Amino acid sequence: MKLLPPKPEPPDNDDCCLSGCEFCVWDLYDEDMREYRKQAEAIRHAFESQGKEVPEQLRPENIHDAVDPAMRAFLDMEREMAMKIQHEQDLDRDDSE
């Protein structure tokens, strides 16, 4: 059975400049956590399908990120703004064709 890799470590708050960088350290952490959750879910499913007890570390309530609520709100806002800008650029590109 596949082993769960180590849980990603969140960046320090000082690692983020809060200027909306395209590749923010928090975005990279978020991507790493999504992959970690995906792998944990696959391993948890393997345990369940074999009728084995799911280890504590693989239970959904124990697979969470370490982002404080204020930073999460900032990251969500940044992501929404980036998606809106991308959508507008796509519309502009479609209009020019």
Side-chain angles (χ1 to χ4, degrees):
M1 186 173 300
K2 187 176 178 184
L3 295 176
L4 186 63
K7 188 174 182 179
E9 289 291 324
D12 291 330
N13 284 337
D14 294 341
D15 292 340
C16 178
C17 64
L18 297 174
S19 65
C21 300
E22 184 175 355
F23 298 106
C24 179
V25 294
W26 286 102
D27 291 332
L28 299 173
Y29 170 71
D30 199 40
E31 288 175 21
D32 291 344
M33 279 303 299
R34 273 190 242 146
E35 183 61 29
Y36 179 80
R37 279 189 212 95
K38 183 178 170 182
Q39 291 177 15
E41 184 177 328
I43 296 169
R44 181 174 59 249
H45 179 69
F47 272 95
E48 292 170 344
S49 67
Q50 295 175 16
K52 295 181 178 179
E53 183 177 344
V54 176
E56 191 77 27
Q57 70 194 39
L58 293 174
R59 295 187 181 151
E61 63 271 15
N62 296 324
I63 308 283
H64 53 82
D65 61 31
V67 181
D68 74 65
M71 183 58 77
R72 173 60 57 208
F74 173 76
L75 294 171
D76 290 345
M77 180 190 69
E78 286 288 313
R79 191 171 295 113
E80 287 176 26
M81 287 175 43
M83 289 172 53
K84 181 179 179 184
I85 291 169
Q86 183 63 49
H87 178 70
E88 289 171 357
Q89 289 173 345
D90 291 346
L91 290 176
D92 289 344
R93 189 173 28 255
D94 290 345
D95 288 343
S96 66
E97 290 178 355

